[in-house]
Amino acid sequence: MNLPLTAEQRQHLELILRQEHEELSARRQAYLGGLTRAEHAREVLLQDGDDAPQRASDREIDLQRVEEDVARLADIDAALQRIAEGTYGICRECGADIPARRLEVAPQARYCVACEAQRERGRKAAASL
Ligand SMILES: [Zn+2]
């Protein structure tokens, strides 16, 4: 049986979430700013054909990273929302308290270990259909 989070633990985790949120937002802003500059430089890039394929693959990696950041930001937003609602640290599947140790590693976790594993298996089964 896991204990509910203490107010202190919750405050600590909220701080971690807020810090990560800020970092991800800043990185996303920097990337979006870079895109705007890239737009301005587009004419130059289009004239410069030699290393275009290399640039395209760099851009793909960037986009993938940005998508991961966006997904993570959404997870963190959702976790902060649950803190505000008072449902943070409670498994959305079975209602059990998520251990503080797990939240220290994954503060955005929505599910307890057992339910996460269950969902993981479900995803794999769906993927192999
Ligand atoms: Zn659960």
Side-chain angles (χ1 to χ4, degrees):
M1 182 73 193
N2 295 306
L3 295 169
L5 292 174
T6 65
E8 220 166 61
Q9 282 171 323
R10 200 170 48 240
Q11 269 170 15
H12 173 66
L13 290 163
E14 183 175 3
L15 199 69
I16 291 173
L17 284 163
R18 288 198 184 284
Q19 274 169 356
E20 190 167 358
H21 191 276
E22 229 164 83
E23 272 169 36
L24 287 169
S25 298
R27 199 155 82 195
R28 189 152 157 257
Q29 280 309 114
Y31 178 75
L32 291 175
L35 270 192
T36 313
R37 278 197 301 279
E39 277 299 303
H40 290 313
R42 188 137 76 126
E43 303 246 319
V44 182
L45 283 173
L46 285 174
Q47 286 162 13
D48 180 13
D50 284 349
D51 57 353
Q54 178 57 43
R55 284 206 177 119
S57 73
D58 279 355
R59 208 174 128 71
E60 244 162 62
I61 291 163
D62 267 5
L63 275 179
Q64 198 188 339
R65 208 176 58 198
V66 166
E67 270 170 30
E68 281 167 13
D69 281 2
V70 167
R72 217 168 146 66
L73 264 176
D75 277 351
I76 291 169
D77 271 337
L80 288 169
Q81 179 73 28
R82 291 197 299 279
I83 288 175
E85 286 169 353
T87 58
Y88 181 74
I90 297 166
C91 176
R92 303 233 309 192
E93 189 73 33
C94 69
D97 290 308
I98 302 172
R101 268 206 322 264
R102 170 166 165 73
L103 291 168
E104 285 285 344
V105 180
Q108 76 286 358
R110 284 179 169 83
Y111 305 101
C112 70
V113 180
C115 291
E116 185 76 57
Q118 183 88 35
R119 290 171 61 82
E120 201 62 43
R121 275 197 296 274
R123 264 201 296 275
K124 276 188 190 133
S128 67
L129 281 178

